[in-house]
Amino acid sequence: MIIVTLVLSLISASLAFAATSAPQKISIVLNGKELKTRTGTEVKIIDNHAYIPASVLRDARFAVEYKNSKLNLVNNYSPYNKNLIEMHLSNHEFTSQFNKIEQEVIDVLSKVILERAS
């Protein structure tokens, strides 16, 4: 009975150590959305620095290029976002101008109606 208790104690201690020493999964969040990682491409913490595999960034629609000891990252959504912003500003300008013209038309028509009523 003592031997069984001793063996169970050793097994539970080794399982507790394995559970506490297991690496923690680190989530990568870009613009509020978690990036999915493939098996073997998890973020690693080495000397308090987070290392993200380039394939994870490629999957997030970044162009990743390593050349002349430089890692260049280009967000492929940047031109798309810029176009959306420009379209929004153009739409806002058009709407503002249209509203001004509409108000002028209403002012003119109300003066004409008031003059005819007199």
Side-chain angles (χ1 to χ4, degrees):
M1 187 69 169
I2 294 175
I3 293 175
V4 171
T5 304
L6 183 61
V7 168
L8 289 176
S9 297
L10 288 174
I11 290 174
S12 64
S14 65
L15 288 176
F17 176 76
T20 58
S21 65
Q24 179 184 2
K25 182 181 181 323
I26 300 170
S27 299
I28 305 168
V29 178
L30 176 66
N31 295 332
K33 183 178 176 185
E34 183 177 349
L35 301 179
K36 300 296 179 190
T37 57
R38 294 182 231 148
T39 304
T41 61
E42 291 84 16
V43 176
K44 297 195 183 337
I45 302 291
I46 302 172
D47 294 330
N48 291 326
H49 291 83
Y51 291 89
I52 302 172
S55 62
V56 173
L57 297 172
R58 280 191 198 107
D59 292 345
R61 310 271 296 168
F62 279 86
V64 180
E65 179 184 276
Y66 181 74
K67 188 176 183 181
N68 298 330
S69 298
K70 289 184 181 180
L71 184 65
N72 295 309
L73 300 174
V74 177
N75 185 347
N76 289 334
Y77 285 123
S78 291
Y80 175 74
N81 288 337
K82 183 179 176 187
N83 288 342
L84 282 179
I85 291 169
E86 288 177 8
M87 285 174 50
H88 174 72
L89 293 174
S90 175
N91 183 35
H92 179 69
E93 181 67 25
F94 173 79
T95 304
S96 297
Q97 292 297 326
F98 184 81
N99 288 339
K100 286 179 187 176
I101 293 170
E102 183 182 40
Q103 187 60 49
E104 290 174 8
V105 169
I106 290 172
D107 291 343
V108 169
L109 286 176
S110 32
K111 285 180 184 177
V112 169
I113 291 172
L114 288 176
E115 285 178 7
R116 286 193 178 179
S118 314

